[in-house]
Amino acid sequence: MTAIHRVVIIGGGFGGLYAAQALKRAPVRITVVDRRNFHLFQPLLYQVATGGLSPGEIASPLRGVLNRQRNTAVLLAEVIDLDPAAYRVVFSDGEIEYDTLIVAAGATHHYFGHAEWAPLAPGLKTIEDATEIRRRILWAFEAAEREVDPERRAAWLTFVIIGAGPTGVELAGALSEIATHTLARDFRTINPSDARIILIEGAARALPPYSPALSAKAAAALERIGVQLRTGALVTAITPESVTVRAGERSESIATRTVLWAAGVQASPLGNIIAAKTGAQLDRVGRVIVETDCSVPGHPEILVIGDLAHFRHQGGTPLPGVAPVAMQQGRYVAQAIRRRLAGRSVGPFHYRDKGSMAVIGRRAAVAKLAGIEFNGTLAWLAWLFIHLMYLVEFDNRVLVLIQWAWNYLTWNRGARLITGESPLPLDR
Amino acid sequence: MTAIHRVVIIGGGFGGLYAAQALKRAPVRITVVDRRNFHLFQPLLYQVATGGLSPGEIASPLRGVLNRQRNTAVLLAEVIDLDPAAYRVVFSDGEIEYDTLIVAAGATHHYFGHAEWAPLAPGLKTIEDATEIRRRILWAFEAAEREVDPERRAAWLTFVIIGAGPTGVELAGALSEIATHTLARDFRTINPSDARIILIEGAARALPPYSPALSAKAAAALERIGVQLRTGALVTAITPESVTVRAGERSESIATRTVLWAAGVQASPLGNIIAAKTGAQLDRVGRVIVETDCSVPGHPEILVIGDLAHFRHQGGTPLPGVAPVAMQQGRYVAQAIRRRLAGRSVGPFHYRDKGSMAVIGRRAAVAKLAGIEFNGTLAWLAWLFIHLMYLVEFDNRVLVLIQWAWNYLTWNRGARLITGESPLPLDR
């Protein structure tokens, strides 16, 4: 009697979790490995970063989500190496063997060769990123309230977001809502709506992956809420008190104390390990170039999905690192495993692009769904609904719905706490 | 025309916040100063520590709570000194003058001369305390799941809580619920209900401030849910892998990786500053001994309330450091300020003890309200209701109610995330 087929899944994000859930009734034993004990709904991280939601509302403990799958175990561990010849994954403090390995380790921030910018301009990939950004944003208003010098006060009230993709646009919109409405009555010396929000984008338009028409609608919505959008602009320097931006020939230094990074991601370092141990090729941002069935060339038992994978077999350009791609690839590789175990053949992965959306502010969003582009209130409602439905746990949906209803009715963003080590001194 | 009377309130907890709110229509200008930007509902911290609630559900941004009071400003600042002769409070980065000063800076942990125990046995006073305890509790189960050696595994599954006052009892009860129900299906190697929870108390019975009858009821409830209560036991040593307990002549070393401190508090260091600058006397835990009107002797313009105050004018023993005392003192000093400004006399503070409660587990609590002692489901419902009603913000009440209903129906504690720096490596 052959031993049961062991599937090890590295990563409990969209790719790994959807793969695990799709294998629920398969004749396999699954182990999901993650460095964190929860699945994170990344599309709503910007809401935690701007005090609209609490971390607990967008994160679901992996054990809780998977505990009814009797064939699935969860391990909290950090992967430091692979041994494909021995079908083994190596942890910092142990190891595990597999018959099929699904690597869904995701992505991290990319500072384009300027790693020194990381502490100055935090990105938005983890819960801790989000609460740190929240801390800096709220801190800036507190510092402005106590600052006597007008120039230094203006710098505290200037916020620069680098990157006008969906993350940057959504951050800018939420930040504008905070400044203009949520905090409106909270201060006595400053007027929070004096805050300047500057959104910097290297490409010619905001939301570069979207159509020009949607980019234009988004730009108009941003302008309406007072966000200064600067396209064709590249950041050349970041200091604790300024950002230098180059547009064409001109260079400009913006005095600011709060800079947020939404400009680029690179693959998890596991990509390097995979390349080193299997000979797989990586792209410029470290993603593993995979076959049509998401496998590593020469290793049909190693599947790479989600933000870590470079899948180029559909339309010539690689699939973007977005949640729906990871979800569909997760389901696909689960299906592939089941078919192979049943002795059946497996077709190539085919991504069904059901559309994309970005929200700019209340009742202002852009969306392309089922091939139709639209914006405004309808897009905004679609955005709310779809994000709500994709939250993994039912209680999260209820809590987020309550929070959003409250935020909407009261302009209040209840989750705006400054937490963490040493919130003082003011001269950070 | 005389300048408007300036009231400075140090601390946005129960004492400071209730004082500020009670001065809403008084002819004064109020400044509330706190090192944190939120009011924390401390009685429910143990729920954050055991994953039942998220930080945002028990914390309310001070500016949001007070923003409709036009006579009130909020400052985020740290007080480092007082200058009573000049009617001045000194911050780490500024200063402010007052006509009346209300000091409501609260308390911090007391390790009875063993400051080295602090990192080994975290207490429960701040949000960060709570998330750290949560991290350690969930971590212990993760570590146990991966531990091969049975003795080491048993140590990971042994939890020691030092101090069987209301905080310790409530922590023990919630921890038992986690182990026995919430995590029941989450692990594959260990059985979480194998966890041992040991509650250590130096006095002769649990809940020493309560009546012997209620103490007995609480002890019985603890026993029913599997908590080992050891009274008349003093902790003499804490290491990363053990706790040494002395009961009478015998000393015992308990192998444990998770120790929680609920055994004592001392006053904020501001007490020392007040004593140094005014000549006020302090008690053994650093509280300022105040007059019948909560003022510092010789300084009718400096009022000390809440956990920082030692008020001994009622019944011979000082009032306990509990929320209702701070709330009533806050309202009292506000009233006193208003009466004085109107040229009227002020009577002494009189605390109305409306009762006390502690919850042990679902449908198990002890309570004494309106002079009547009761326990069981009725006490539990009373506990829920009263805590819910005293939450400062309406949206917090709704969110907590939803969370509690969910937790009750599903045994699920949704907020059980391991967050914070470097959750790994396992050998912490």
Side-chain angles (χ1 to χ4, degrees), chain A residues 72-426:
Chain A
T72 304
V74 175
L75 279 189
L76 199 70
E78 177 157 22
V79 175
I80 60 168
D81 204 359
L82 292 177
D83 188 353
Y87 291 78
R88 199 162 60 204
V89 172
V90 182
F91 305 137
S92 56
D93 58 354
E95 56 185 43
I96 193 173
E97 290 184 4
Y98 60 85
D99 296 301
T100 299
L101 176 66
I102 301 173
V103 191
T108 179
H109 306 300
H110 187 29
Y111 287 92
F112 303 108
H114 285 279
E116 72 278 10
W117 288 352
L120 300 172
L124 192 57
K125 263 284 171 196
T126 68
I127 283 283
E128 288 76 17
D129 285 346
T131 53
E132 173 61 16
I133 288 177
R134 177 181 72 185
R135 193 183 71 80
R136 292 191 189 202
I137 289 173
L138 296 176
W139 187 265
F141 287 99
E142 295 287 347
E145 173 84 336
R146 304 199 45 215
E147 178 57 65
V148 184
D149 177 79
E151 272 189 39
R152 292 167 67 87
R153 191 188 314 133
W156 280 113
L157 288 176
T158 300
F159 299 83
V160 176
I161 299 169
I162 302 172
T167 300
V169 166
E170 290 176 341
L171 263 175
L175 198 33
S176 168
E177 178 172 315
I178 287 180
T180 320
H181 295 280
T182 309
L183 303 180
R185 267 190 280 254
D186 279 15
F187 294 86
R188 300 287 176 259
T189 306
I190 62 168
N191 182 352
S193 47
D194 289 343
R196 280 198 312 161
I197 300 158
I198 304 170
L199 183 54
I200 311 233
E201 168 59 42
R205 51 189 175 85
L207 298 179
Y210 293 32
S211 76
L214 280 184
S215 288
K217 290 273 193 292
L222 286 166
E223 191 184 349
R224 265 197 304 277
I225 58 174
V227 172
Q228 293 180 26
L229 173 66
R230 299 199 196 174
T231 52
L234 287 171
V235 169
T236 55
I238 304 178
T239 76
E241 307 211 5
S242 71
V243 169
T244 306
V245 179
R246 195 184 77 231
E249 295 300 316
R250 287 185 317 118
S251 230
E252 175 195 2
S253 174
I254 305 171
T256 170
R257 302 300 295 262
T258 311
V259 184
L260 308 180
W261 186 264
V265 291
Q266 57 184 336
S268 152
L270 273 189
N272 294 320
I273 295 173
I274 292 173
K277 292 299 166 80
T278 66
Q281 299 297 304
L282 304 179
D283 68 9
R284 267 186 332 142
V285 291
R287 295 185 294 183
V288 179
I289 299 174
V290 296
E291 308 277 39
T292 59
D293 65 351
C294 297
S295 65
V296 169
H299 286 269
E301 76 286 357
I302 301 179
L303 308 161
V304 182
I305 59 175
D307 290 7
L308 184 52
H310 177 120
F311 187 96
R312 200 198 281 155
H313 310 282
Q314 200 174 325
T317 54
L319 292 178
V322 294
V325 170
M327 292 174 193
Q328 290 187 25
Q329 287 178 338
R331 288 205 194 102
Y332 166 83
V333 296
Q335 178 76 324
I337 291 170
R338 299 182 68 168
R339 291 180 70 91
R340 285 209 185 98
L341 283 174
R344 290 150 70 185
S345 65
V346 175
F349 170 69
H350 181 83
Y351 174 57
R352 284 185 164 71
D353 186 350
K354 298 178 184 169
S356 38
M357 306 182 292
V359 68
I360 293 99
R362 58 177 55 196
R363 300 203 298 280
V366 295
K368 178 174 177 177
L369 300 169
I372 304 166
E373 292 188 353
F374 52 111
N375 65 306
T377 304
L378 200 57
W380 176 72
L381 286 170
W383 183 97
L384 288 178
F385 179 74
I386 286 171
H387 280 73
L388 211 56
M389 283 304 113
Y390 273 102
L391 279 167
V392 167
E393 289 185 307
F394 178 75
D395 60 339
N396 277 6
R397 287 179 207 152
V398 177
L399 289 174
V400 169
L401 185 59
I402 301 274
Q403 276 278 32
W404 279 352
W406 183 258
N407 294 353
Y408 185 80
L409 293 172
T410 66
W411 287 103
N412 199 15
R413 294 181 89 89
R416 44 195 172 90
L417 313 178
I418 297 177
T419 57
E421 296 295 327
S422 312
L424 286 161
L426 278 167

Side-chain angles (χ1 to χ4, degrees), chain B residues 265-287:
Chain B
V265 291
Q266 58 183 336
S268 152
L270 272 190
N272 294 319
I273 296 173
I274 292 174
K277 292 299 165 80
T278 67
Q281 298 298 304
L282 303 179
D283 68 8
R284 270 186 330 145
V285 292
R287 295 185 296 183

Side-chain angles (χ1 to χ4, degrees), chain A residues 35-38 54-57 59 61 63-64 66-70 72-78 91 93-94 127-128 138-139 142 145-146 185-188 393-395 398-399 402-403 406 412 414 416-420 423-424 426, chain B residues 35-38 54-57 59 61 63-64 66-70 72-78 91 93-94 127-128 138-139 142 145-146 185-188 393-395 398-399 402-403 406 412 414 416-420 423-424 426:
Chain A
R35 291 182 299 181
R36 311 305 303 274
N37 75 327
F38 53 87
S54 287
E57 284 153 355
R63 295 185 179 282
L66 295 169
N67 67 8
R68 287 184 190 278
Q69 293 191 197
R70 299 307 311 174
T72 304
V74 175
L75 279 189
L76 199 70
E78 177 157 22
F91 305 137
D93 58 354
I127 283 283
E128 288 76 17
L138 296 176
W139 187 265
E142 295 287 347
E145 173 84 336
R146 304 199 45 215
R185 267 190 280 254
D186 279 15
F187 294 86
R188 300 287 176 259
E393 289 185 307
F394 178 75
D395 60 339
V398 177
L399 289 174
I402 301 274
Q403 276 278 32
W406 183 258
N412 199 15
R416 44 195 172 90
L417 313 178
I418 297 177
T419 57
L424 286 161
L426 278 167
Chain B
R35 291 182 299 179
R36 311 306 302 274
N37 75 328
F38 54 86
S54 288
E57 284 151 357
R63 294 185 179 284
L66 295 170
N67 67 7
R68 287 183 192 280
Q69 294 192 196
R70 300 306 310 172
T72 304
V74 175
L75 279 190
L76 198 69
E78 177 156 24
F91 305 136
D93 58 354
I127 283 284
E128 288 75 17
L138 296 176
W139 187 265
E142 295 287 346
E145 174 83 338
R146 303 197 47 213
R185 268 189 280 254
D186 278 16
F187 294 87
R188 300 288 176 257
E393 289 186 307
F394 178 76
D395 61 339
V398 176
L399 288 173
I402 301 276
Q403 277 278 33
W406 183 257
N412 199 15
R416 42 195 173 89
L417 314 178
I418 298 178
T419 57
L424 285 160
L426 278 168

